[in-house]
Amino acid sequence: MSNTDFALAVEDLTVSFDGFKAINDLTLYVDRNELRVIIGPNGAGKTTLLDLICGKTRASHGSIKFKNQEMTRMSEHRIVRAGIGRKFQTPSIYENLSVFKNLEVSFPRGRSVFGALAFRCDAEVRDRVQAVADEIGLGTVLETEAGLLSHGQKQWLEIGMLLMQEPELLMLDEPIAGMSVRERELTGELLQRICKGRSVIVIEHDMDFVKRIAHKVTVMHQGKILAEGSMDQVQNDPKVIDVYLGH
Ligand code: ADP
Ligand code: MG
C-alpha cells in the first residue's frame, strides 16, 4: 500500500508555540472505513493535532494530505468543504431551535442538484434531516427544542450537524465526556455505524470505551507517536504502560 492510498496522510508534522513543539515530527496514516482512537496523557498534543488537521492551527512544518490533497495551507472553511468535519469538546448547537432546525441549518447550501426548484430542494433537505436524525437516535424528537435535550442527546445532535455535510473524515474530541453509561453505549454504536464509508478519528480517555470502538489505537506522548496498533498491542506495550496506562 502506498501512502497515496490512505484517506489521511500526516507526514513529518511539527508545530511550535514559542519554541515549544506541541507536535513534533509526527507521521500518521488513517484509512477509509477506519475508526482510529488517539489516546495519551494530558498535554500530549492530541487536541493540537486535530486543530492542525482542521486548519484552526497552522503547521510550522510538514504535510497533511486528505485524499491526496494538501491541507496545510487551506482555509478552515475550504477544509470543511474538502470533507473534514470536527466536533469540539463543548457542543455548539442552537439551544433555542428545534432538533429539525439545527440539522436543517447545517445542510450545505448551494449543493442541491435541483437548483431553482425550491420545493424539490425543501424535500431533499427534509429527507436528509430525517435520515440523519434517525442515524443519531433523534428521529422521534425533531420538534423538540435542542436546549431541552439530555447532555448525550446534545452531543449526538452536534454529530448530526456534522453528518449533514457528509464529511469523509470526522474528528471527535472526547465525545463521551459527561455521558451516562447508556449514552456511552449508544455513542459507541453510533460511531461504529458512521465510520462506514468514511474515516473517523476519536480522542478518548475511557479505556473501556476505547476497547469497544477502536479499530486501531495511536498513543501520543510529547507531540510524538509513542505506539500504534491494536488495543491489545498498545495495552501490553511497556512504553505505553510507563507513560500512560500505569497511572
Ligand atoms: P492534549 O489534547 O493531548 O491534552 P493539547 O494538544 O491540548 O494536549 O496540548 C499540547 C501542548 O501544547 C500543551 O502543553 C499545551 O499547553 C500546548 N498548547 C496547545 N495549544 C497551544 C497554543 N495555542 N499556544 C501555546 N501552547 C499551546
Ligand atoms: Mg485535549
Side-chain angles (χ1 to χ4, degrees), residues 17 20 22 40-49 51 57 173-174 203:
F17 300 119
F20 168 72
N42 281 330
K46 304 180 297 295
T47 298
T48 303
L49 176 61
D51 289 345
T57 299
D173 201 344
E174 304 189 20
I203 295 177

Side-chain angles (χ1 to χ4, degrees), residues 207-225:
M207 281 304 143
D208 290 330
F209 187 72
V210 174
K211 212 175 290 182
R212 201 137 29 90
I213 65 165
H215 297 172
K216 217 171 170 189
V217 178
T218 296
V219 188
M220 282 183 65
H221 179 51
Q222 298 179 340
K224 289 176 172 293
I225 291 184

